[in-house]
Amino acid sequence: MTAAFFAALAGLVGVMIGRLWDTRSESTRWRRDQKTASYQRVIEQFQVTYEAVRVVALTGADAASFQALVEHTRSGGFAAWDSAVAAVWLHGSTDVVVAVTQLDEALGALFTAATDRRIQDRTEWNQAREPAGAAFEQFVSAARSELDLPPVPVRVFHSTQMTPTTAHQPAEINEQRGAS
């Protein structure tokens, strides 16, 4: 009788420990999923918001049309971005929160430069966008580190002075594909 009691007790304790372990590992997976989803949203929204800022910066519209474009961008172009940044503030690690905050500030500064008409052509745009690109690359690096992914070189904006190597020219790539 005593042996049966201890066997039942051991089984019960085993089930409780297993349930505790499952709950803890499920919670860890849920937190990682939330981080991953919020980091991905920032990346997606950066592309959308960056493009909206680029359109404002490079538009040649008259003053009234330009002001209407700026107001339209302000009223509808940043809500999803702000939501994505807030999700990272909620779920992200300290390093990622700092990186996304710097990215938000860089994107805001780029928009201000665009609305103040300090960007007049593509050359000025290419120079003005560099801090936002560097901040984005830092965000991606911090997010990958947080998710225990290996570091990878991320280049958002390639310099206009860079020329593709022969290994990356489309004609040669297509020729190599045809030979295989």
Side-chain angles (χ1 to χ4, degrees):
M1 173 90 169
T2 307
F5 173 73
F6 283 118
L9 185 61
L12 201 57
V13 169
V15 168
M16 288 176 19
I17 290 173
R19 184 66 184 132
L20 180 66
W21 183 265
D22 284 347
T23 301
R24 184 178 172 138
S25 64
E26 184 63 33
S27 175
T28 301
R29 274 193 297 271
W30 181 85
R31 275 188 299 237
R32 181 181 168 90
D33 290 347
Q34 293 303 307
K35 287 178 183 183
T36 302
S38 64
Y39 300 167
Q40 182 176 345
R41 278 186 56 209
V42 165
I43 290 169
E44 292 166 355
Q45 288 306 312
F46 173 78
Q47 294 170 332
V48 171
T49 306
Y50 171 83
E51 181 60 19
V53 173
R54 187 189 67 77
V55 168
V56 169
L58 297 178
T59 190
D62 61 63
S65 298
F66 179 76
Q67 199 56 37
L69 175 62
V70 169
E71 289 308 314
H72 174 73
T73 303
R74 274 194 182 119
S75 65
F78 294 107
W81 169 254
D82 292 341
S83 176
V85 169
V88 172
W89 288 344
L90 180 62
H91 298 292
S93 68
T94 303
D95 290 342
V96 179
V97 168
V98 168
V100 81
T101 301
Q102 291 171 343
L103 176 56
D104 186 44
E105 291 169 356
L107 205 51
L110 185 59
F111 184 66
T112 299
T115 59
D116 291 350
R117 297 272 185 156
R118 288 182 277 161
I119 301 170
Q120 298 295 318
D121 58 26
R122 285 207 180 274
T123 302
E124 290 176 356
W125 169 252
N126 287 336
Q127 291 172 345
R129 72 184 183 165
E130 287 300 321
F136 181 77
E137 292 166 6
Q138 181 58 40
F139 169 77
V140 171
S141 177
R144 289 186 61 82
S145 176
E146 170 66 20
L147 297 172
D148 293 325
L149 297 170
V152 294
V154 175
R155 289 280 300 148
V156 178
F157 309 128
H158 297 285
S159 170
T160 55
Q161 287 80 20
M162 292 176 59
T163 56
T165 63
T166 57
H168 293 102
Q169 290 180 352
E172 191 169 330
I173 291 171
N174 288 334
E175 186 177 287
Q176 290 172 357
R177 285 183 187 155
S180 350

